[in-house]
């Protein structure tokens, strides 16, 4: 068995481990607000996320992906394909180990930033500091600040609006009939735009921005009109009080949770499978490629890993994010999901490497602060932010150690 075959087998194992950790940490984090607000139970979250992430990964996943550098290093400066193969394996293993440590301590971290830090580490050792795209690293650091602040601000505004114009009014159901379709239509707006600009299938349609916006606007008006009629006809006239409004938003959260699961499977599987695809092609072609077609069997392995991860360890991160930072209700949970989704969509379209983990946690802090500083547990928040700051350096150092040991042993 030659070195290429050995590292291909090892990389498939490491890719499955990374996918497992994606499910246990990133995916669990995204489902946490629905679980914390009691829109769905932990078992339902595991079922929804497990099945729909697998579907998203296999059928909507990135069949062609940038496999080499994620824009962090200049792959052309590392000419030996064996060095690149060993380095990508070291980066994958390092990122998987760090996300596993974070999951076992019940803290949410960004798998994207773990991979970025790991690639940075082996890139510096293999090609020197000049191989690193420090401008891209600057954007990563900037996103640590911008994405949670954006998420917090939007979620704060949405929940404050719901509270002021629905929950604090005397005729709550009447106000909910008027405003709830507005927020549902905006959510549909986000879902459609996310589909067009965030999923591989949506991007492959290659629609002009004016066509995409036109289709989104038509659908938004249709959704608003439909739910306005539905609520007017079906909501019992004698129903009133905050419980009825919370139940209305609970049903909406089930839909958003399903969408999050599908889109996350489609997008995040590349974090685990992209480096494996790079190693697969190096092993087959004996050369470096900047992008590659991902074989279906690798997407299946990624989907299975994500599903298994949230089933086995997902409850740890869900408990921290959904219950320990602040108390969530359905209207607050909806505000969190709206804030996080809007932040990810806006930042991604601006070309920033935003983390869905950071946006979700920032949004939860935002709805907490809408009720005052006393509603947020800043001790839990401090631990989470500490892990965010440590992610890139720890992943980088671990990657360097693994890479050097493998280089001395095999190259």
């Amino acid at each position: 068995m030659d070195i290429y075959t050995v590292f291909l087998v090892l990389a498939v194992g490491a890719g499955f481990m990374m996918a497992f950790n994606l499910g246990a940490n990133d995916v669990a984090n995204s489902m946490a607000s629905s679980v914390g607000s009691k829109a769905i139970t932990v078992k339902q979250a595991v079922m929804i996320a497990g099945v729909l992430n697998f579907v998203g990964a296999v059928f909507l996943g990135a069949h062609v992906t940038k496999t080499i550098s994620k824009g962090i290093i200049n792959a052309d400066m590392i000419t030996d394909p064996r060095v690149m193969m060993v380095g990508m394996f070291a980066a994958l293993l390092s990122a998987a180990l760090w996300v596993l440590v974070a999951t076992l301590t019940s803290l949410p971290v960004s798998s994207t930033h773990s991979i970025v830090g790991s690639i940075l580490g082996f890139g510096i050792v293999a090609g020197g500091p000049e191989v690193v795209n420090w401008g891209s690293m600057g954007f990563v650091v900037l996103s640590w600040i911008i994405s949670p602040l954006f998420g917090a601000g939007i979620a704060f505004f949405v929940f404050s609006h719901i509270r002021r114009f629905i929950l604090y009014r005397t005729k709550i159901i009447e106000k909910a009939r008027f405003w709830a379709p507005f927020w549902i239509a905006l959510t549909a707006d986000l879902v459609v735009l996310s589909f067009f600009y965030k999923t591989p299938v949506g991007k492959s349609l290659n629609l002009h921005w004016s066509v995409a916006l036109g289709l989104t606007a038509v659908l938004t008006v249709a959704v608003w009109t439909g739910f306005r009629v539905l609520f007017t006809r079906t909501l019992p006239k004698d129903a009133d009080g905050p419980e009825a409004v919370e139940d209305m938003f609970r049903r909406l959260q089930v839909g958003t949770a399903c969408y999050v699961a599908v889109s996350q499977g489609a997008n995040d599987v590349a974090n685990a499978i992209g480096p494996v695809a790079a190693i697969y092609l190096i092993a087959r072609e004996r050369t470096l490629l900047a992008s590659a077609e991902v074989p279906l069997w690798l997407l299946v392995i990624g989907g299975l890993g994500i599903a298994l991860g949230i089933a086995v360890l997902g409850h740890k991160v869900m408990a921290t994010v959904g219950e320990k930072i602040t108390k969530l209700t359905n209207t607050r949970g909806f505000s969190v999901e709206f804030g996080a989704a809007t932040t990810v969509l806006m930042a991604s379209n601006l070309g920033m490497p935003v983390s869905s983990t950071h946006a979700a946690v920032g949004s939860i802090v935002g709805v907490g602060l809408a009720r005052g500083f006393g509603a947020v547990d800043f001790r839990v928040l401090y631990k989470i932010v500490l892990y965010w700051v440590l992610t890139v350096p720890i992943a980088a150092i671990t990657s360097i150690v693994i890479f050097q040991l493998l280089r001395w042993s095999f190259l």
Side-chain angles (χ1 to χ4, degrees), residues 20-32:
F20 176 91
N21 291 313
L22 270 173
N25 200 301
D26 272 38
V27 177
N29 171 55
S30 297
M31 303 298 287

Side-chain angles (χ1 to χ4, degrees), residues 285-323:
E285 308 289 339
R286 305 291 198 264
T287 188
L288 301 173
L289 293 170
S291 62
E293 186 169 343
V294 182
L296 183 63
W297 62 271
L298 273 181
L299 291 172
V300 172
I301 288 174
L304 287 173
I306 290 173
L308 188 64
I310 190 169
V312 176
L313 291 178
H315 61 95
K316 287 179 170 287
V317 170
M318 275 193 269
T320 301
V321 178
E323 298 171 8

